[in-house]
Amino acid sequence: MSDFDPIALGTRAQAMIEMLASISADREKLTRLYLTPEHRRAADLVADWMRSAGLTVRMDAAATMHGCRPASREGARSSRRLLIGSHIDSVIDAGKYDGTVGVVAGILAAEELQARGIELPFGLEILAFGDEEGVRFPKTLIGSSTVAGTFEESVLNMTDSAGETVRNALLHFGCDPAVLRSEGLQNADIVGFLEVHIEQGPLLERWNEPLGVVTAIAAQSRHRVRITGEAGHAGTVPMAIRHDAVAAAAEFIAMVEEVARNGVKNNLMATVGEISALPGAVNVIAKEAHLSLDIRASSDEARAQAAETIRGRSRQIGARRGVVIGIETVHQKPVAVCAPRFRKALASAIEAVTSRKAPELISGAGHDGLAMAHLTDIGMIFVRCRGGISHSPFEHVAIADLGLAVETLIRAIVEIAREEAA
Ligand code: GLV
Ligand code: MN
Ligand code: MN
């Protein structure tokens, strides 16, 4: 394998990441939600890069961009391919690197393999998913679930905050929702799925390591919480007889935090990240509060147990305050364990590139791999990010680390090809 220059590779990656970062709904901050005009522009840019890298491009019915390169001559009749990718949607007021690093790394790896004349016994398919964050609609991982063949029809009727359904948003984007269920790939055709992603946590930086191998992605669930109380006049209804939905929400939130703090050994995390009140006026006791709830843990049992505890404690809060607390589950994924053969290939690639033993870590953040694990084996590496900061405009990755990540991906692909041939 040729020598490589991490700064040169990283500089190419950084330039592409900056171009994607300039595509936003907001001039002041980076916001690129699923099936928006910004998503469209980002997808078009990615398609251009894919074509320049010699890949054949198609967009599927969930707006995922696929850039394909066939197997080399001796494997030409094989339809088997290695999937590599990540996402191009973002949270609101996002950083530049979450998701984009994996898409850019995949395209650069395909380009470099071509430029270095490296032949592979399987094809490559680079994927740019549009809905890893799940910020616009209550559902998440719509793109990767579609590729994995697990997309649920009922999701089409879910709405965003403006009342637009997933179905209509797809139609406006130029996708055909009627064929979503048949877009799933076949396991027999797929070698596996690899993803490069920023760590979004502090461990690699603390260990002074640029890259790490992910062992598993934590179990997660998302819920919509509706608290129904009784509206009233803020100046006349005595405090003792109120059924205040916002006050109940405050107690609910504090309870959720306490439950999660008691589950540290299972990496239990529970978060209420959104809240709104109805009717939402300064002098009206709220009749309704709407909240989001996100629960994660390193085991399915710990996550399910926490969800059960939260439901039980909610019933107590509701009974005491005379309000009804309804909790609806809108998304649930078990732990996705990374395949030992990919962990091995990625670790040996990291070791070849950094001359250091590859550290291992679990991902608390959700990734497209959660959905892709239903289709095929998954493998993932994390790239160090400054201060462990993510989902923030202060997200930052060093150029050299980007270069090391792209080179690691290239070498892991070659290693997997060697294993396949053995
Ligand atoms: C996505 O970043 C998630 O972990 O929710
Ligand atoms: Mn991400
Ligand atoms: Mn994210």
Side-chain angles (χ1 to χ4, degrees), residues 246-256 313 316-317 320-321:
V246 163
E251 192 175 343
F252 175 88
I253 294 165
M255 175 273 288
V256 163
R313 299 263 311 259
Q316 292 166 5
I317 295 171
R320 193 165 12 85
R321 289 180 167 272

Side-chain angles (χ1 to χ4, degrees), residues 228-248 281-287 317-323:
T228 312
E230 201 172 277
H233 194 295
T236 61
V237 182
M239 295 307 290
I241 62 164
R242 292 184 179 199
H243 305 290
D244 183 333
V246 163
V282 64
N283 56 353
V284 182
I285 299 163
K287 68 172 181 185
I317 295 171
R320 193 165 12 85
R321 289 180 167 272
V323 302

Side-chain angles (χ1 to χ4, degrees), residues 87 98-99 132-133 197 200 367:
H87 61 100
D98 177 359
E132 187 256 15
E133 301 292 2
H197 201 284
Q200 308 183 276
H367 299 289

Side-chain angles (χ1 to χ4, degrees), residues 17-38:
I17 289 163
E18 293 294 345
M19 283 175 80
L20 277 171
S22 70
I23 303 175
S24 170
D26 194 319
R27 283 164 68 93
E28 307 301 321
K29 52 183 184 241
L30 172 51
T31 301
R32 203 168 47 240
L33 305 189
Y34 184 42
L35 301 177
T36 55
E38 303 71 57

Side-chain angles (χ1 to χ4, degrees), residues 61-112:
T64 298
M65 305 308 291
H66 299 238
C68 304
R69 141 186 163 148
S72 317
R73 230 168 325 117
E74 73 267 29
R77 262 173 293 130
S78 162
S79 61
R80 273 166 63 74
R81 52 225 195 259
L82 179 62
L83 308 178
I84 299 169
S86 195
H87 61 100
I88 53 173
D89 64 321
S90 80
V91 294
I92 295 164
D93 200 8
K96 298 172 191 168
Y97 300 90
D98 177 359
T100 56
V101 166
V103 173
V104 163
I107 295 171
L108 285 177
E111 196 167 277
E112 277 297 299

